Amino acid sequence: MKLTDREKRLLNGEKGKVPQQAMALLVKYGEALGAEEMVPVQHIYASSAFCANTDLTLATVKQCGGIKEYFSEFALCGDAGWEIPRMEHFATCLANNIDLDMWEEQEASREIYEMGLLADEFERGIDHLSAPSCAPYLQGISPIFAEHIASMESSAVSFFNSVIGARTNTEGIESATAAAYTGCIPKWGLHYTENRKGTHLVRVTVPVETIMDWGLLGFYFGHVVQEKIPVVDGISHRPSADMLKHCGAAAASSGGVELYHVVGVTPEAQDRNMAFQRGAPLEEFEFGEREKRWSYEMLNSGTSPYIDHVILGCPHYSIEQVFQFLRCLGRRKIHSDVHLWLMVPYTVKMLVIRQGYDKLMREAGVHIIAGACPILGGVYRKSAQSIATDSAKQAKYFRDMTGKPVYFGSMEQCIESAVSGKWIGSFC
Ligand code: F3S
């Protein structure tokens, strides 16, 4: 690869062993992909190295001999004996596995909690911003249009690429951590304009108006295009950012969509011609009543009418969604057999407290959980018989990974069900 003088100096070890190892890793990675050069990045979104399945992480931390040693091996691909310096470039944590204030409600063990405390202290000690969220853009940590960034986490990648028009491939923990020590990432794939053109047309012939509708649409086109770049055309209503957030997350779970365009809405698709960069689609699909129902049926596997665990906020809820949630719940209380979790970014939890919503939630029996992902860490109420959610992504993952009956519906349907203890969702 063609390296700049700065990158060569890093590779020669002028800044120490960790940046040297990080640069060497990025060069290897870039060469494997045929990248010719690096691109500078100012925003790096790297998961906590400790966010994966909690039981497995705990066992591996023990095997490695501690938090620092685990980080060296798994995030840096380096030597356990190295001193780990502070990150040179601004990097923020994507979702973690537990909220350190809510670990008992999350049914995490004390040992997991204690590892979480140490890991959190370690991440903050190396300047990895410990405000974990899979929706960091909701916390004001956001790139701008056409900015090159390095991001992990499929729903975040989709939002950055599609809705903001920033440029990233889906990075892994090793490459994102290396970017935090070097400030660059191999330039390939979606960093190039020509690789961002739409490949498949999705003609929408049914109303798509709600977050639930956008989840069903994303789930459908992710399934049919897999890792290609769909262009959605024919929508009758302009979506909100939260709708697009759900759509992209769903498409990245049923397929591997990293970038999608919505004609007249997303920045690289002011019209169909622009979305396809004046080319023609390779294939066309229709999203009508039949396809919408197909998505719905794929996401609903529950048969018993009773529910005992409702999880909302995948991707993490915005403060507007929290507001809508409280408006819909009103003065009602969650059924005593049901655990309802609202997953949010840390800064949204702070706003919830500042606004006095936390008191209302406590009285209603709602648990607000910051920074965590129940799927990544496998931290959800294992004792639950079934799970209900308003997220297509989460419904798919819970169905595939836990085998528990799963119900998918709108936020309103999830609330009604959480209050009554029975699933009362429906397709329309
Ligand atoms: Fe976020 Fe986890 Fe869902 S990372 S998008 S809450 S599966």
Side-chain angles (χ1 to χ4, degrees), residues 182-214:
T182 60
C184 60
I185 201 80
K187 191 173 183 187
W188 67 283
L190 294 175
H191 288 286
Y192 285 100
T193 303
E194 60 270 29
N195 295 336
R196 299 174 67 84
K197 76 172 172 207
T199 58
H200 291 64
L201 179 65
V202 180
R203 276 186 301 104
V204 176
T205 56
V206 73
V208 175
E209 300 173 15
T210 62
I211 286 184
M212 180 173 161
D213 291 342
W214 278 92

Side-chain angles (χ1 to χ4, degrees), residues 47 94-96 133-135 153-156 245 249 311 313-316 343 371-377 391 393-394 397:
S47 294
L94 292 157
N96 213 335
S133 176
C134 51
E153 211 285 307
S154 61
S155 80
K245 178 179 74 176
I311 306 181
C314 164
H316 289 166
M343 317 300 293
C373 168
I375 296 287
L376 269 182
S391 162
K393 173 176 179 178
Q394 193 154 268
Y397 284 174

Side-chain angles (χ1 to χ4, degrees), residues 28-43:
K28 238 192 243 173
Y29 166 44
E31 283 176 351
L33 292 159
E36 290 175 3
E37 57 182 345
M38 301 286 172
V39 63
V41 286
Q42 287 177 13
H43 280 101

Side-chain angles (χ1 to χ4, degrees), residues 93-278:
C93 248
L94 292 157
N96 213 335
N97 43 32
I98 56 169
D99 177 337
L100 292 169
D101 296 325
M102 296 296 288
W103 62 281
E104 286 167 298
E105 169 60 23
Q106 288 182 271
E107 290 188 335
S109 66
R110 176 164 284 279
E111 218 183 349
I112 298 277
Y113 165 66
E114 284 168 358
M115 177 185 70
L117 281 177
L118 290 175
D120 187 57
E121 191 183 335
F122 173 80
E123 300 266 12
R124 284 184 285 117
I126 59 169
D127 269 352
H128 192 191
L129 188 75
S130 189
S133 176
C134 51
Y137 43 86
L138 295 178
Q139 310 202 87
I141 307 165
S142 182
I144 59 170
F145 178 75
E147 180 179 336
H148 295 276
I149 62 171
S151 182
M152 298 173 65
E153 211 285 307
S154 61
S155 80
V157 164
S158 164
F159 194 91
F160 287 138
N161 274 320
S162 313
V163 182
I164 297 177
R167 297 181 174 206
T168 184
N169 298 300
T170 306
E171 298 300 340
I173 187 78
E174 302 84 356
S175 59
T177 306
Y181 282 103
T182 60
C184 60
I185 201 80
K187 191 173 183 187
W188 67 283
L190 294 175
H191 288 286
Y192 285 100
T193 303
E194 60 270 29
N195 295 336
R196 299 174 67 84
K197 76 172 172 207
T199 58
H200 291 64
L201 179 65
V202 180
R203 276 186 301 104
V204 176
T205 56
V206 73
V208 175
E209 300 173 15
T210 62
I211 286 184
M212 180 173 161
D213 291 342
W214 278 92
L216 293 171
L217 169 61
F219 188 80
Y220 171 73
F221 72 64
H223 173 74
V224 293
V225 311
Q226 289 296 304
E227 77 285 2
K228 297 293 195 295
I229 303 177
V231 175
V232 177
D233 199 5
I235 54 155
S236 51
H237 297 76
R238 278 191 77 77
S240 65
D242 286 322
M243 291 172 186
L244 295 173
K245 178 179 74 176
H246 274 260
C247 177
S253 66
S254 57
V257 175
E258 296 172 289
L259 165 64
Y260 66 96
H261 302 294
V262 182
V263 174
V265 174
T266 55
E268 291 164 84
Q270 279 164 32
D271 56 37
R272 201 196 277 195
N273 218 11
M274 182 182 178
F276 284 107
Q277 296 184 12
R278 283 171 285 285

Side-chain angles (χ1 to χ4, degrees), residues 8-20:
K8 282 182 197 155
R9 287 200 298 278
L10 286 175
L11 194 57
N12 290 336
E14 278 186 25
K15 287 270 184 179
K17 282 185 182 151
V18 169
Q20 180 181 30

